[in-house]
């Protein structure tokens, strides 16, 4: 059997200078994309508060909360560690109940925590750069790949 090579080709950027310059721009300068993101997040949250949330809405909210946590780790909103923790726990509890009953229903404390983390997300989107958002996405992907992310549905051992 042949030995596997350790060589892994790296992606080549077509326009490296454009990539760097775009990374320095504030995320709010990409107004339509950030606005679409905020509309989707607020729509998912509205569906959740009204008891009409689907699995897609919950997955969107999970992605949003993961990005908020990653941006918090990068130093955006350093004073809001308790908000991030409460939001993560609230969404996890809603997800566990919803996975069991197929209905995503909020409790009052969970609604407050998720509304607060939604406000934090909106504030973070106003101050970060595109590169910061890219770094946050990499952190989330790395956490998921390394299986450090807390799963909502635990696999039962046979």
């Amino acid at each position: 059997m042949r030995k596997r090579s350790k060589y892994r080709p790296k992606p080549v950027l077509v326009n490296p200078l454009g990539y760097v310059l775009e990374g320095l721009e504030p995320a709010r300068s990409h107004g339509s994309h950030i606005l679409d993101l905020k509309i989707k997040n607020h729509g998912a949250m509205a569906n959740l508060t009204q008891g009409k949330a689907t699995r897609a809405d919950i997955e969107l909210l999970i992605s949003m909360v993961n990005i908020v946590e990653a941006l918090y780790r990068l130093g955006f909103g350093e004073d809001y560690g308790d908000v991030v923790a409460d939001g993560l726990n609230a969404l996890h509890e809603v997800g566990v109940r919803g996975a069991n009953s197929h209905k995503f229903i909020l409790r009052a404390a969970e609604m407050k925590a998720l509304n607060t983390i939604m406000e934090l997300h909106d504030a973070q989107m106003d101050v970060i750069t595109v590169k910061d958002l890219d770094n946050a996405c990499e952190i989330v992907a790395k956490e998921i790949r390394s299986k450090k992310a807390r799963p909502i549905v635990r696999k039962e051992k046979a």
Side-chain angles (χ1 to χ4, degrees):
M1 199 161 30
R2 252 177 31 135
K3 182 180 174 187
R4 271 184 40 169
S5 173
K6 291 185 180 184
Y7 172 73
R8 300 281 183 263
K10 294 188 179 189
V12 178
L13 295 174
V14 175
N15 184 2
L17 184 61
Y19 175 77
V20 171
L21 291 176
E22 187 174 331
L24 297 174
E25 291 180 5
R28 67 179 176 273
S29 68
H30 296 278
S32 63
H33 298 294
I34 297 298
L35 185 62
D36 290 345
L37 178 68
K38 286 181 180 181
I39 289 172
K40 287 178 185 178
N41 290 338
H42 284 277
M45 187 64 187
N47 287 341
L48 183 60
T49 57
Q50 296 169 2
K52 297 188 259 180
T54 62
R55 184 180 173 103
D57 292 329
I58 295 299
E59 288 176 0
L60 190 64
L61 290 173
I62 289 170
S63 298
M64 185 228 16
V65 172
N66 286 341
I67 292 295
V68 169
E69 181 190 16
L71 288 170
Y72 167 74
R73 288 184 187 180
L74 290 173
F76 296 96
E78 295 171 335
D79 301 335
Y80 298 98
D82 55 338
V83 171
V84 173
D86 291 345
L88 284 168
N89 291 333
L91 193 57
H92 184 264
E93 292 302 316
V94 171
V96 167
R97 282 197 312 272
N100 294 335
S101 67
H102 301 292
K103 292 181 182 175
F104 299 99
I105 308 295
L106 280 174
R107 294 185 177 140
E110 294 166 347
M111 185 182 298
K112 182 180 177 192
L114 288 175
N115 281 329
T116 307
I117 204 165
M118 181 74 71
E119 291 175 17
L120 178 60
H121 178 262
D122 290 344
Q124 285 175 334
M125 289 297 125
D126 290 337
V127 294
I128 64 171
T129 63
V130 174
K131 183 65 177 169
D132 296 328
L133 186 59
D134 197 29
N135 289 342
C137 291
E138 287 178 21
I139 289 172
V140 171
K142 185 177 177 183
E143 289 285 318
I144 291 171
R145 267 195 318 271
S146 63
K147 299 191 187 324
K148 290 182 182 176
R150 180 170 54 165
I152 287 185
V153 180
R154 292 173 184 86
K155 294 182 181 178
E156 295 182 19
K157 296 179 182 177

